[in-house]
Amino acid sequence: MYQGKAISVALLQDGIAELIFDLQGESVNKFNLQAVSELDEALTLLEKSQDIKGLLVSSAKDVFIVGADIMEFGRVFGAGADSIIAHLQNNNRNNCRIEDLPFPVVVAINGFALGGGMELCLACDYRVASTKAKVGLPETKLGILPGWGGTVRLPRIAGLETAVEWIASGKENDAQTALTARVVDAVVEPEKLRDAALFTLQQCINGKFDYAARRVQKKAPLQLNFIESMMAFETSKAFVGAQAGRNYPSPVTAIKAMQKAADKGRDEALQIEAEAFAKVAQTETAQSLVGIFVNEQMISKKAKGWEKKADKKIARAAVLGAGIMGGGIAYQSALKGVPIKMKDVAQKGIDLGLSEANKQLSKRVERKKMTPAEMGDVLNRIEPALTYDGFDQVDIVVEAVVENPKVKRTVLAEVEAKVSPDTIIASNTSTISISSLAEALQRPENFCGMHFFNPVHLMPLVEVIRGTRTSDTAVARTVAYANAMGKKPIVVKDCPGFLVNRVLFPYFAGFSMLVRDGVDFRRIDKVMETWGWPMGPAYLLDVVGIDTAVHAEKVMAEGFPERMKRDFTSCTDALFAAERLGQKNQKGFYDYQTDKKGKPEKVFNEDVLALLKPHITGAVEASDDDIIARMMVPMATELARCLEEGIVETAAEADMALVYGTGFPPFRGGVFRWIDSIGVGAFCEMAKRYSDLGALYEPPASLQKMAANNQKFYG
C-alpha cells in the first residue's frame, strides 16, 4: 500500500493492514522529520481505505522506536515558542489520527519504545510487548517533557500515580513492570509477539475487546474529583520538586501540565502540554542537557571508530596492583565479560582487591540486579596471582601500582619482559607523564595511559593517554577494552595531569586562595554545591585524599610553574602536615563518621579552623558571585589552554570529560557550554577582574580571540 524510507504499509489477510517502521540507513528507528512526514502520508492512505478492518503497528528492527531525533532539537528549540509548538503539532496530529482511525489499532513492541516511540504506542488501542521490550518517557532527563501526548494519555491509561512516577523519573521500564502498571496489555516471548498482537487485533475486530471504550477514556478528563486531584498533584509537586532540585525544572513542569489538563479533553490537554514543552525547551537546562546528549553521541561514535581500527579483540586482561583501584578495575572487567588476572606482590593486596570486587557484586545481588550464581561466574573471571605465570597469554595489562615514577618504571619494565611482544601495556597513572614512563620500555609503541577514576564502578570516564611514541594500534585496542568495560573513553595527549586533573587542580588552587584570603571553606562548599556541583571543593578534596591532592599539586606545579606554583602554605598543606588525610583516615576538612547506611557522613570540627588560622593572610569581602568566579575561572582558562594545545581534540570531548570525570553539573552542559551561556566576551571580562590573583586568571590567546570575534564554542 505504501513504501517510504522510514515507513511502509502492507495489506495482510482478513482485512488487516500492517504499518512497519524501518528507518533506512540507521540501526534504530527514530522520529526524524522524514519519518514524521511519511507517517502523515501513510495515515492518509489508511484513512481513505474502505477495506481495512484493523491495523497492526510493528518494527522491522530489533527495537521499536527510540524516540525523536534529538539531533534536530537544536534548530527547533532555537526558533522560539511558536516554532516549537508547530513542530510538536505534526506528530501530535499523527498520533490523534491513529487514535481516531475507524478501526482498531494494536502495536507490537519488540524492543525499546522510548519518548516519542512510547507516545505512539499510547495512541494505539492495545499494546502487546515482548519480554525484551523496554518502555518509558525519558524526556525529563533532557530537561524537557513528553510533547507528543505522553502527559495526556499515560495518566488516563495507567493512572496519575504511574504517570507522575514514569514521567518525572524518566526511567526505562521492563515489560513486566509495564504490565503490572497497566501501561501495556500483554507480555509474551519474542517469538510469539506477532501472533499475540494479531490475535489481540482480531479480538477487537470480532467485538470481544471494546477498543472504542478505551478511546473514550483516553480522550476524556481524568476521573478524579477536585479534592483527589488537588491532593494528588500538590503532593507530587512537593515530592518531585525536592528530588529534582531547582536546577531541573522539567519534572515539576510536567506535573503542572498534567494538573492543568486534568479536567480537559484530549485536544485541549495536548495544547497545554505543548505550551509547557515550549516553556522548558527554551531553558538553559534543556539546551545544556540536549547538548550533553549530542556530545555523548559524538564521543560514542569516535570511540567506536577507534575500536574498528583495533586489529585484535581484547579476550584476556591483567591488572597489576590489587588494591581498591586494581580491585575495581578487575571487578569492572569481569562484570562485563572480559576475564582478568589480578596480580599483587603480597597476599594482603590480593585479599583487598577480591574484597572490593566481592563487595560490589554483593550489592548487585542485594538489589536483585544479579543472581548468586551470576555473581559466582563473575568472580571466577578474576584470577588472583602473585607471579607472572600466564601473562604471555593476556592481550592488555593495566598497571595500577603506587603513584611513584620509580616504582612504576620498575614494574612496567618487569611486566614487559613477561608478556608477548604484541601485548598492550597501559598505566593507570593520574598525573605522571606517559612519555616519561615509556622510557623504561623496549616497546614504547605498545604503551599508553589508561586513567580510571575512583570509584571505578561508578565513574564512567577513562582517559586514554597518548605518549609521544604511542602507536595507533595501542590506542585503538585500549579504547576497545574501555568500551568492552562499559566505560566512556576519551583520547587525550600526554601532559602533566593529562586533561581532567590538569584542569581540576587549578579549580582547587582557586579554592586554596579563597581560604588563604579568609573565606570559610564551609561557605565555599555551600556556594559551589548551590551552583550545581555534587560536592564542594573541601568535601571533594577529602574524598580524593589530602595526601593524593598534595602530591598531584606538586606534579602540576613542576609542569606549569608559571600558573600553578604558589608562594604560600595552602590549606591542603596544613591538613597534610597535621595528618588529616580526608575520608581515608576519617579526618580532613571535615571529620567522618559512619551513618545508618554504612556510608561516611561529614561532621564539622572547630579544630580545623584553628589549624588553618595561621595560614590565613587576608580578610576579603567575597560575594557568592566572587566565590563562583574565583573557583571557575582557573578551571575554564586551563581547559581552554588544553583545547588550544590539542591535548583534547574538541570542545565536546573536553566538556564531557569533566561531566564524566568530576561530576561537573550536567544542567550547565560543560565548562565551554557554560562560557557560551554567559558569552565568551563576558567571561573574559569576568576573568580580568581577578587578574591580580595571578596567571591562572588570564584568558589564553585563543579565548581572547574568540571574544574579539564574538564566537562561541558551540554553533
Side-chain angles (χ1 to χ4, degrees):
M1 289 181 67
Y2 178 82
Q3 181 64 57
K5 293 183 178 179
I7 290 170
S8 63
V9 180
L11 192 60
L12 310 180
Q13 60 189 19
D14 301 326
I16 293 175
E18 182 175 12
L19 189 151
I20 306 162
F21 284 87
D22 189 7
L23 184 58
Q24 294 178 22
E26 298 281 354
S27 59
V28 296
N29 290 320
K30 54 189 173 183
F31 273 120
N32 57 10
L33 292 174
Q34 182 169 21
V36 172
S37 175
E38 288 186 9
L39 182 58
D40 174 60
E41 294 170 3
L43 287 171
T44 298
L45 285 174
L46 289 166
E47 287 165 341
K48 290 178 179 178
S49 176
Q50 302 297 314
D51 305 321
I52 297 175
K53 297 178 182 177
L55 178 66
L56 172 67
V57 181
S58 68
S59 165
K61 298 187 186 296
D62 292 335
V63 300
F64 184 67
I65 303 171
V66 296
D69 187 346
I70 295 170
M71 306 302 260
E72 296 176 351
F73 278 13
R75 176 186 56 78
V76 175
F77 287 7
D82 291 344
S83 177
I84 293 169
I85 291 172
H87 178 77
L88 296 176
Q89 282 175 344
N90 292 329
N91 232 34
N92 262 327
R93 194 178 301 114
N94 284 342
N95 283 347
C96 289
R97 290 167 74 191
I98 289 171
E99 202 165 46
D100 294 339
L101 285 169
F103 42 76
V105 182
V106 175
V107 59
I109 308 171
N110 63 320
F112 286 104
L114 303 173
M118 185 61 198
E119 288 172 296
L120 179 135
C121 294
L122 296 174
C124 299
D125 299 312
Y126 283 85
R127 288 157 291 284
V128 182
S130 157
T131 52
K132 292 185 177 180
K134 296 278 189 181
V135 298
L137 296 168
E139 286 87 351
T140 54
K141 290 183 176 179
L142 294 175
I144 52 178
L145 50 87
W148 291 337
T151 68
V152 177
R153 293 186 177 93
L154 188 58
R156 287 159 176 79
I157 289 170
L160 181 60
E161 186 177 341
T162 294
V164 167
E165 181 187 346
W166 280 41
I167 292 170
S169 71
K171 287 193 303 186
E172 293 173 8
N173 303 274
D174 61 33
Q176 190 57 50
T177 301
L179 179 65
T180 303
R182 305 196 314 277
V183 177
V184 302
D185 301 292
V187 175
V188 297
E189 293 300 322
E191 65 272 13
K192 297 178 180 177
L193 179 62
R194 183 177 178 80
D195 288 344
L198 286 169
F199 172 80
T200 303
L201 187 56
Q202 194 62 54
Q203 295 295 90
C204 293
I205 294 168
N206 295 343
K208 293 183 179 180
F209 288 174
D210 191 353
Y211 72 91
R214 288 188 158 213
R215 293 184 178 184
V216 170
Q217 179 181 328
K218 280 198 287 178
K219 296 178 186 180
L222 274 175
Q223 299 303 302
L224 293 173
N225 64 40
F226 176 76
I227 298 297
E228 289 172 332
S229 178
M230 183 181 70
M231 290 186 65
F233 281 115
E234 294 305 319
T235 302
S236 295
K237 285 189 293 187
F239 177 76
V240 170
Q243 293 285 311
R246 64 188 183 90
N247 295 315
Y248 295 89
S250 61
V252 171
T253 304
I255 296 171
K256 288 179 178 178
M258 286 188 267
Q259 182 176 18
K260 189 175 180 181
D263 62 348
K264 307 292 191 297
R266 180 191 69 184
D267 294 345
E268 198 173 348
L270 287 172
Q271 182 62 29
I272 290 168
E273 178 188 81
E275 290 168 359
F277 184 102
K279 179 181 177 182
V280 293
Q282 296 177 94
T283 62
E284 284 186 12
T285 296
Q287 289 159 15
S288 294
L289 293 176
V290 169
I292 280 184
F293 179 89
V294 172
N295 288 354
E296 282 181 325
Q297 299 302 299
M298 185 270 270
I299 286 167
S300 177
K301 189 174 181 180
K302 284 191 83 166
K304 286 176 182 174
W306 273 112
E307 185 173 346
K308 287 177 182 176
K309 295 178 185 177
D311 58 343
K312 184 178 180 182
K313 183 180 178 182
I314 302 296
R316 290 190 63 82
V319 61
L320 303 178
I324 297 295
M325 180 63 78
I329 293 169
Y331 158 79
Q332 190 68 27
S333 184
L335 179 69
K336 295 298 183 179
V338 181
I340 186 166
K341 286 178 173 290
M342 183 174 66
K343 182 190 178 299
D344 204 279
V345 294
Q347 186 62 43
K348 184 180 178 181
I350 295 289
D351 293 342
L352 181 60
L354 288 173
S355 173
E356 178 67 15
N358 194 69
K359 180 176 74 173
Q360 299 307 331
L361 289 166
S362 296
K363 287 180 183 177
R364 293 182 73 86
V365 172
E366 287 171 17
R367 295 169 184 162
K368 301 192 184 311
K369 291 184 175 181
M370 174 181 280
T371 66
E374 289 169 334
M375 174 178 171
D377 290 341
V378 174
L379 284 173
N380 285 335
R381 287 195 283 270
I382 301 175
E383 182 186 341
L386 292 170
T387 70
Y388 286 108
D389 288 351
F391 266 64
D392 57 341
Q393 301 298 311
V394 302
D395 303 306
I396 189 168
V397 178
V398 181
E399 168 272 305
V401 301
V402 64
E403 188 77 351
N404 179 299
K406 290 182 180 178
V407 174
K408 284 187 181 290
R409 285 194 185 97
T410 300
V411 170
L412 289 168
E414 187 177 270
V415 74
E416 186 184 42
K418 304 294 184 181
V419 299
S420 75
D422 195 39
T423 300
I424 302 303
I425 301 174
S427 177
N428 176 51
T429 175
S430 57
T431 55
I432 303 169
S433 166
I434 294 301
S435 300
S436 171
L437 291 176
E439 292 170 3
L441 299 174
Q442 299 298 312
R443 299 184 292 274
E445 68 277 6
N446 285 355
F447 178 66
C448 65
M450 191 178 191
H451 180 207
F452 291 86
F453 291 76
N454 200 21
V456 174
H457 67 285
L458 289 179
M459 301 298 283
L461 179 66
V462 170
E463 286 180 311
V464 176
I465 304 114
R466 179 171 211 146
T468 53
R469 298 175 68 181
T470 302
S471 67
D472 280 356
T473 298
V475 172
R477 286 201 215 157
T478 306
V479 169
Y481 181 46
N483 284 344
M485 293 176 77
K487 294 302 179 184
K488 306 283 189 184
I490 293 178
V491 179
V492 300
K493 288 184 180 177
D494 188 25
C495 69
F498 317 128
L499 178 64
V500 171
N501 280 334
R502 176 171 166 181
V503 301
L504 181 60
F505 279 89
Y507 174 82
F508 287 147
F511 167 69
S512 294
M513 285 190 276
L514 278 167
V515 175
R516 176 201 64 187
D517 292 346
V519 183
D520 191 308
F521 68 84
R522 292 169 296 171
R523 183 182 168 212
I524 301 169
D525 271 6
K526 185 176 180 181
V527 169
M528 297 315 294
E529 286 165 8
T530 301
W531 194 75
W533 283 89
M535 57 183 73
Y539 190 13
L540 179 57
L541 280 161
D542 277 354
V543 172
V544 168
I546 302 300
D547 53 341
T548 302
V550 168
H551 166 76
E553 284 167 354
K554 289 177 181 175
V555 173
M556 303 306 294
E558 288 173 9
F560 307 103
E562 71 282 4
R563 294 192 300 282
M564 300 191 201
K565 196 169 185 177
R566 57 172 177 259
D567 57 1
F568 64 94
T569 300
S570 73
C571 49
T572 49
D573 292 332
L575 291 179
F576 179 67
E579 297 185 353
R580 297 187 66 91
L581 306 182
Q583 286 188 357
K584 64 179 64 178
N585 72 342
Q586 287 79 53
K587 51 185 183 179
F589 283 96
Y590 302 94
D591 287 351
Y592 292 89
Q593 59 190 27
T594 304
D595 66 13
K596 293 177 182 178
K597 295 181 179 179
K599 295 181 178 180
E601 179 181 39
K602 63 181 173 129
V603 180
F604 173 63
N605 183 338
E606 289 279 356
D607 292 347
V608 176
L609 294 183
L611 182 67
L612 297 178
K613 189 174 181 180
H615 308 290
I616 295 172
T617 57
V620 299
E621 290 291 330
S623 67
D624 287 358
D625 286 343
D626 286 329
I627 291 171
I628 293 164
R630 287 185 60 170
M631 290 296 304
M632 289 307 305
V633 167
M635 173 177 271
T637 54
E638 199 63 31
L639 193 64
R641 288 186 184 92
C642 287
L643 187 62
E644 185 181 273
E645 295 168 18
I647 301 301
V648 63
E649 285 189 355
T650 64
E653 288 168 287
D655 275 349
M656 294 310 299
L658 292 186
V659 171
Y660 290 147
T662 70
F664 185 88
F667 72 90
R668 296 196 182 276
V671 169
F672 288 142
R673 201 173 288 277
W674 167 66
I675 292 175
D676 276 356
S677 73
I678 60 178
V680 178
F683 173 82
C684 288
E685 287 300 317
M686 177 172 68
K688 287 175 186 175
R689 290 201 295 272
Y690 304 98
S691 59
D692 60 314
L693 291 169
L696 274 176
Y697 289 83
E698 181 182 337
S702 59
L703 212 53
Q704 295 184 47
K705 184 178 179 182
M706 287 178 68
N709 295 331
N710 200 26
Q711 291 176 298
K712 288 186 169 187
F713 288 99
Y714 296 94

